Structures are given as C-alpha cells and as structure tokens.
Amino acid sequence: MMVDADLLIHSAAQVVTCASDVPKRGAAMQDVGLITDGAVVVKDGRILAIGPTESIRERYSAVQMMNASGQVVCPGFVDPHTHVVYAGDRIGEFEQRIRGATYMEIMAAGGGIVSTMRATRASSVDDLVEATLPRLEQMLRLGTTTAEIKTGYGLDLDSELKMLEAIAALDQAQPIDLVPTFMPAHAVPPEFNGRSDAYIDWVVNEMIPAAADWYRNSHFFVDGRPLFCDVFCEKNAFDLAQSRRVLEAGIAYGLPAKIHADEFTSLGGVGLAVELGATSVDHLDATMVEDAAMLAESGVVGIVLPAVNFNLGSHEFADARGLIDAGAALALSTDINPGSAPCPSQPLVMAIASRYQRLLPAETLNAVTINAAFGIGLADRVGSLTPGKQADLLLLNCTDYRQLAYQFGGNLLATVVKNGRII
Ligand code: NIG
Ligand code: FE
C-alpha cells in the first residue's frame, strides 16, 4: 500500500539527518546521519519519513515530487544566540577598532551596547521591525530557519518590552521561527552609572515580572515556545552575584536561564549556569579547564560564537575542540549584533570554527542544527530531519555536506523548505 504525502524530495546525493534524542557529545558530533541517494517525505508540514530513495519511493507517493539529484538535503540551521533586533549601526566603532581601539575600551567609554541602546530607545516597534526584517531575510537566504533573539538594547522597562513586541511581530511577519530572550541585564544604562546594583534591583523586582506577564499573554506561550532570561556576566557589565540574582529571578518567574559567560574574563558564569540548570552558557572564550570539565558533566549546552573573535580581529578563539573532546554538548551561533558580530551567516561561522577551532565539518553541522536546537529548548520540533519534526530543510548546491564548512564567502543554498512549504 502506497502512503500519500504532500512533498517527496528524492535522489539527493546525500541526506544528512543530524538526528539525536539528546544533545550530541564527543564522537557523536562526527555522525551527521548520512544517507546516500536519499529521500525525505513531508506531510502536513512535518517530516513523515526519511531513507534511501529506492525504498522510500516503493512506499510513498506525493502530490509534489522534487528531484534533488546533485544536491545535499540537510536540516534548516538553528541560530541559538542573536541580538538581531536593533536600531542604527556601529560602523564608526568598526573604524575605531581598525585604528586600534578595543571593544572593551569603546564600551568603557560609553559606546558599544549603550550606543545601540540610544538608537533603539528612539525607535518604535514598527521601526525595529522594519530595520530587522531585511536581516532575517538574509539569514533565511543563508539557511537559518529558527533563531533566538535577545532584548537588551532597551535597558529600561518600556524599551525592553518594546523589543519583545518587535520580536513577536517579526515572528509573525516572516518565515524564520523565533524564540525570545529577555536580557535587560545586557549593560548598565547611563542613568544607573556607578549604581549597577540598583539597576539589578529594578530588573529583578519590576522588569522580569513584567516580561513574564507579557510572555503569558503572547503567542509564544500559546505555541509552547519559551521566553529565556539572559545576563552579560562580565567585567564592566554584571558580576557573578548580580548575574545570579537575575537568573534566579527569571527562573522564579518561569523563564529558563541562559548566560553570556567568559567572553573576555572568567567570572564563574559556567559554574552558575551548571548550578542553576541553565539551558545554555554562551561565549566561553576565557573558560578555564576546570569549568570546561564541569560543563561537560552537565546538561547545559555550550554555545560558542567565533564570528565575534573574527570580527574583533582576534587571534584567539574559544577552545571548542577542547570542549567537544571533554564531552560538552557544543553549539555554534552567529551572535549577529551591530557591535561584536554583524554576521547573518551560520555557514560562515562553520567555516571559521573549522579553521580556527579545528572542528570537523560534521561537528560544525551538528553544532548549527541539533545541538543548537537543544540550546534553545526546541529540539523536540526542529534541528534534525526526524519523523514528526517540522519539515524545515535545505537543499544545497553541492554533493558533499562538508562543502558547507570547506567553502566560505559564497552561498550554497538552493531551496529552503519551511514547515513543508518551498520558499
Ligand atoms: O554577545 N556580549 C554581549 N553582547 C553581545 C554584543 C552586543 C553588542 O556589542 O552590541 C555579544 O557579543
Ligand atoms: Fe550575545
């Protein structure tokens, strides 16, 4: 008996599933679930079956047939750490850095995140949506079908809620599925200069409760997508005790934790993330060996963001190789933002990670698919080609998935299928 479906993609040189019920670790990172001459069957926006073309075509027929010969089919990319909603740009700072200033010097002098805050505060929800749509379109054209987005350029209650509104509107205005993160503790706003504890009081007592309220009335809640709470645990941002207050308040209000830790200095953020059962700990550039071992023992996903190091002209990168070898669940992200990484491309991140962090192409692919999905708590619906999951998949103009990390600066994407529909 033939089973009827909506879409049957067949004869792909390779189908790579990246399937796993748990975050991939160690040697499993090198397994992409490769099927040669593969096929994928889609029904009602979900994946119905995957396998070799011959056996799939014996059992399934579909309204729409797609011949993917000469192409690779892989899961849509998940970008698990972004600051893609913002106003203005920081091209002036880019030039300052070329002339020799460091990111931290610019931040200490009142530029950086606070300069984007000024532009963001002066914008309406519509302005933010309009500024962000083209960036999301670029991400989609590079293969990203799910992305997390943080607030953190408002830094006061109204402006942070405005950013949440913009994320919700963007989720409904374009194809990429978005997951919101509330991050009022991204920088100390100028009104609170020298009084960061007082700002954290406000964050904990007013802003987080208001965000939790907003979330429960949002479509994200209805759809079962989380609202995360994140904090920048860093010198000149928030110390470990302040970070703990923020994340504990978030958890108390039902917001699972994420943390920016060890980007420039190691303040103990990894230990905090492990203790609190955070979903992810992000950056990990300055992470000590003991903390890497602790992370490896935990269920927390480590997200590294090598486009930041690249963009800041650094020759040092997070020890992603060491993290995988230690047994940590590792994911990769663009961190797209106007300051430290104006980069929409997960394939470019894969290319950087393979060169400067010695990740194999297979490891980079699992890091932007299944492990990235675990890093935003959505692995039950995206991140791999698995029956029952959303049919979010990419057709690439190459016959070997390793081309994704091997090439750089171009775009191998031929077609995006999102929720079973060809875009
Ligand atoms: O992840 N580290 C803090 N936040 C961003 C940078 C944001 C910005 O510079 O605007 C990051 O690198
Ligand atoms: Fe970030």
Side-chain angles (χ1 to χ4, degrees):
M1 256 272 290
M2 293 290 270
V3 177
D4 289 326
D6 300 327
L7 173 66
L8 195 160
I9 303 166
H10 62 88
S11 311
Q14 299 179 334
V15 170
V16 287
T17 67
C18 301
S20 178
D21 295 337
V22 291
K24 287 190 180 241
R25 295 168 191 272
M29 285 292 279
Q30 292 180 36
D31 176 8
V32 289
L34 184 89
I35 301 165
T36 35
D37 191 3
V40 181
V41 189
V42 173
K43 191 173 170 68
D44 298 331
R46 291 174 187 281
I47 293 168
L48 186 61
I50 303 154
T53 295
E54 209 185 301
S55 63
I56 288 287
R57 292 195 73 166
E58 280 165 9
R59 288 180 289 139
Y60 298 91
S61 66
V63 180
Q64 189 173 8
M65 303 291 282
M66 249 178 120
N67 186 335
S69 67
Q71 295 184 313
V72 168
V73 178
C74 74
F77 303 139
V78 176
D79 196 339
H81 178 143
T82 89
H83 307 257
V84 72
V85 172
Y86 61 84
D89 63 56
R90 306 239 289 276
I91 300 178
E93 291 181 11
F94 176 56
E95 290 190 328
Q96 279 178 273
R97 285 203 311 275
I98 292 170
R99 295 196 162 96
T102 67
Y103 180 84
M104 289 304 260
E105 283 164 6
I106 291 167
M107 180 165 140
I113 293 168
V114 167
S115 106
T116 300
M117 174 210 79
R118 287 192 201 94
T120 303
R121 282 186 181 173
S123 302
S124 65
V125 171
D126 287 348
D127 294 338
L128 291 173
V129 168
E130 198 184 322
T132 306
L133 272 174
R135 297 178 200 131
L136 291 173
E137 187 182 326
Q138 252 192 311
M139 289 165 68
L140 182 67
R141 286 178 186 283
L142 290 156
T144 295
T145 51
T146 302
E148 180 260 19
I149 304 183
K150 302 175 199 299
T151 70
Y153 292 126
L155 309 184
D156 65 32
L157 180 54
D158 287 352
S159 309
E160 286 290 308
L161 291 176
K162 180 174 72 185
M163 288 193 74
L164 286 175
E165 287 292 348
I167 296 168
L170 285 161
D171 186 56
Q172 290 171 323
Q174 53 77 55
I176 299 179
D177 284 324
L178 304 178
V179 175
T181 293
F182 192 56
M183 196 180 181
H186 191 200
V188 181
E191 313 84 88
F192 283 86
N193 260 341
R195 296 188 299 128
S196 60
D197 276 327
Y199 181 60
I200 293 298
D201 287 343
W202 192 27
V203 166
V204 163
N205 297 328
E206 318 260 342
M207 292 167 87
I208 288 175
D213 236 32
W214 176 89
Y215 169 61
R216 274 189 300 275
N217 292 303
S218 75
H219 77 276
F220 292 115
F221 179 75
V222 175
D223 187 46
R225 273 177 274 174
L227 171 64
F228 289 101
C229 181
D230 196 345
V231 58
F232 191 13
C233 183
E234 184 61 55
K235 217 169 111 201
N236 290 328
F238 301 100
D239 66 23
L240 191 64
Q242 293 170 328
S243 300
R244 172 185 290 279
R245 289 185 65 201
V246 170
L247 297 185
E248 284 181 344
I251 290 166
Y253 279 89
L255 278 45
K258 285 178 163 280
I259 181 168
H260 283 59
D262 301 353
E263 180 173 358
F264 300 99
T265 28
S266 178
L267 299 181
V270 173
L272 181 63
V274 170
E275 180 196 328
L276 297 180
T279 303
S280 74
V281 53
D282 306 32
H283 282 289
L284 302 169
D285 295 280
T287 299
M288 327 241 233
V289 183
E290 314 84 78
D291 284 351
M294 197 191 327
L295 178 61
E297 291 294 306
S298 78
V300 183
V301 175
I303 302 179
V304 299
L305 316 153
V308 173
N309 313 66
F310 174 82
N311 179 63
L312 298 182
S314 171
H315 298 274
E316 281 168 30
F317 288 79
D319 184 12
R321 176 76 271 145
L323 286 166
I324 291 178
D325 292 345
L330 190 98
L332 286 164
S333 179
T334 61
D335 196 16
I336 180 169
N337 75 74
S340 70
C343 171
S345 174
Q346 281 286 52
L348 180 60
V349 168
M350 296 166 76
I352 298 170
S354 53
R355 285 159 182 80
Y356 291 97
Q357 297 172 305
R358 295 193 300 118
L359 263 52
L360 292 162
E363 294 174 320
T364 67
L365 185 59
N366 282 315
V368 299
T369 55
I370 185 68
N371 278 14
F374 276 105
I376 54 170
L378 284 194
D380 56 336
R381 55 176 91 175
V382 297
S384 67
L385 303 182
T386 303
K389 283 197 187 182
Q390 283 177 208
D392 292 359
L393 50 93
L394 313 177
L395 278 72
L396 307 173
N397 281 326
C398 57
T399 55
D400 184 330
Y401 76 87
R402 295 176 301 177
Q403 294 276 1
L404 272 172
Y406 171 65
Q407 295 190 19
F408 62 97
N411 190 0
L412 290 168
L413 194 67
T415 307
V416 181
V417 176
K418 183 77 184 87
N419 290 118
R421 301 170 80 122
I422 298 164
I423 297 181

